[in-house]
Amino acid sequence: MNTAALILTVAAAAIAAICFAAAEIEKRRGSEACTSRDALREKYLHQIIRALASGGETAEKVKADTPRQRMALAEAMHTAMRHTYGSDRSALQDMVDRNSLDRFLLRRIRLARGSRRAYLLTLLSSVPSHRDMSALPARYTRSHNRDVRISALTAVMAANPSMAVRALAAYPYRLTPFDTARIIALLRRGLLPIAFEPLLANDNRNLRMLGMAIVRNFGIESADRSLDKIIASDPDPQTVREAIYTLASLGRPLGRATLRRRMADFTPVQRKELCRYLTLAGYSTRTIRTLLSEKEGLYAETLINSYKRDLLCK
């Protein structure tokens, strides 16, 4: 019995040692593969930057023959597009066409699911092509997965900027602030036209929200009249609330009767949030009292005089 127990103990120890060694080998392989992918992405990123700097003269030197290389090139192109404005799309299109990058991503998108599909659609939005690639991503704008559908929407808008407004108008879901931020990122990259007035005048809720996001991000002070019309006539409380915040972000006067009338429908929590925002924006306590109430005016004074002043006024 003692001999049998000893044999079992030695065998268990040997098996544990083998499993530990196998895990270490697998971990090392994964680390090496990750390092290799990072190095490949970095190499392609440098090649893309050189091609853009040379006006596309070195674009033909960017080659990706294997699926792994094509994925690294797509990720490098996404990084480059996120950090540049008005890039030479013709040079990038040559890289995409020469390496069939658009078709590669479309195949991967069809086979992927969930967050992986959303990630590939995001990459697709940074891959300019001579071909119209909006048909397949448009299918996923009605996905039940929120990340997939907003990624698909940005891919459609980037693939065909002239139809971006129509694509957004047909989007069947309400844009969240995070969704709007992703579309604004396309605007900042110079992929979409910036025309806020038609958006603010449109009855479509998503188009109005995007128009207000453009006004806030680019500080367009001439939009105050359009915002006043939305505040006075829009039936959607959330759109009205966003218009008030947009007007405040521009530093415009807020002591209008229409504003006070629409704010009467705000909940106590919403009034307190607005009070904090106005204090941060630099509005006086007198303005806050006139716009909201004496209670919110005292709250604003408390914020300014408290330890939170430094947080609010930076």
Side-chain angles (χ1 to χ4, degrees):
M1 292 292 294
N2 291 337
T3 303
L6 180 61
I7 292 173
L8 289 174
T9 302
V10 172
I15 292 172
I18 292 171
C19 291
F20 179 77
E24 285 295 316
I25 292 172
E26 187 65 25
K27 182 179 178 181
R28 185 174 300 176
R29 285 178 179 173
S31 177
E32 290 175 354
C34 183
T35 304
S36 177
R37 286 196 299 270
D38 291 343
L40 196 57
R41 281 194 295 267
E42 185 176 353
K43 183 192 79 170
Y44 281 129
L45 183 59
H46 286 304
Q47 290 179 347
I48 291 170
I49 293 172
R50 283 195 293 269
L52 293 175
S54 65
E57 293 180 1
T58 61
E60 61 184 15
K61 297 181 181 179
V62 181
K63 295 182 179 180
D65 300 322
T66 66
R68 182 164 159 270
Q69 290 175 340
R70 290 191 180 100
M71 181 59 68
L73 177 57
E75 291 171 340
M77 194 170 291
H78 177 62
T79 302
M81 292 290 285
R82 283 173 54 199
H83 294 86
T84 56
Y85 176 82
S87 301
D88 184 5
R89 291 175 62 87
S90 62
L92 298 176
Q93 286 171 341
D94 289 342
M95 297 182 202
V96 171
D97 293 345
R98 187 174 291 105
N99 297 287
S100 299
L101 203 56
D102 48 356
R103 293 174 178 173
F104 166 76
L105 286 175
L106 290 173
R107 285 196 302 269
R108 289 296 181 95
I109 289 168
R110 289 191 193 97
L111 298 174
R113 293 291 183 273
S115 59
R116 181 64 179 173
R117 175 176 283 168
Y119 176 69
L120 292 170
L121 285 164
T122 300
L123 294 182
L124 186 66
S125 68
S126 298
V127 174
S129 173
H130 289 107
R131 291 178 282 269
D132 185 3
M133 299 187 298
S134 59
L136 179 67
R139 292 169 45 191
Y140 300 118
T141 57
R142 298 179 180 273
S143 170
H144 295 296
N145 186 309
R146 185 176 63 184
D147 290 338
V148 169
R149 62 178 181 248
I150 187 59
S151 298
L153 177 63
T154 56
V156 171
M157 296 174 76
N160 194 349
S162 62
M163 300 296 289
V165 172
R166 182 174 296 182
L168 182 56
Y171 189 62
Y173 300 92
R174 285 194 167 205
L175 291 179
T176 68
F178 300 103
D179 299 338
T180 306
R182 294 187 61 173
I183 298 174
I184 289 295
L186 294 180
L187 287 168
R188 290 191 175 276
R189 282 157 45 186
L191 296 183
L192 301 178
I194 301 175
F196 69 93
E197 291 179 343
L199 299 178
L200 294 179
N202 199 290
D203 292 333
N204 184 281
R205 188 256 183 195
N206 283 340
L207 294 181
R208 281 193 167 183
M209 295 296 281
L210 178 59
M212 287 186 281
I214 292 173
V215 170
R216 291 176 70 170
N217 277 270
F218 295 94
I220 305 173
E221 296 184 359
S222 60
D224 56 349
R225 291 186 179 179
S226 299
L227 294 171
D228 286 339
K229 291 179 181 179
I230 293 175
I231 294 170
S233 61
D234 199 296
D236 182 25
Q238 188 174 353
T239 305
V240 171
R241 183 166 171 264
E242 185 68 19
I244 293 173
Y245 274 85
T246 303
L247 199 62
S249 71
L250 301 175
R252 310 302 295 170
L254 300 178
R256 302 162 190 167
T258 305
L259 278 165
R260 293 195 294 271
R261 178 174 56 83
R262 297 308 299 260
M263 286 181 192
D265 298 330
F266 282 20
T267 66
V269 173
Q270 291 173 340
R271 295 171 72 88
K272 197 169 185 179
E273 288 176 353
L274 180 60
C275 179
R276 284 198 297 268
Y277 185 84
L278 295 178
T279 306
L280 173 62
Y283 283 90
S284 67
T285 55
R286 179 179 179 181
T287 300
I288 294 174
R289 284 193 182 94
T290 303
L291 193 62
L292 296 170
S293 69
E294 181 67 24
K295 180 180 178 181
E296 277 79 18
L298 293 173
Y299 177 60
E301 287 184 359
T302 302
L303 288 176
I304 293 172
N305 295 326
S306 70
Y307 69 94
K308 297 179 181 178
R309 176 178 54 193
D310 291 338
L311 299 177
L312 284 167
C313 297
K314 284 182 179 179

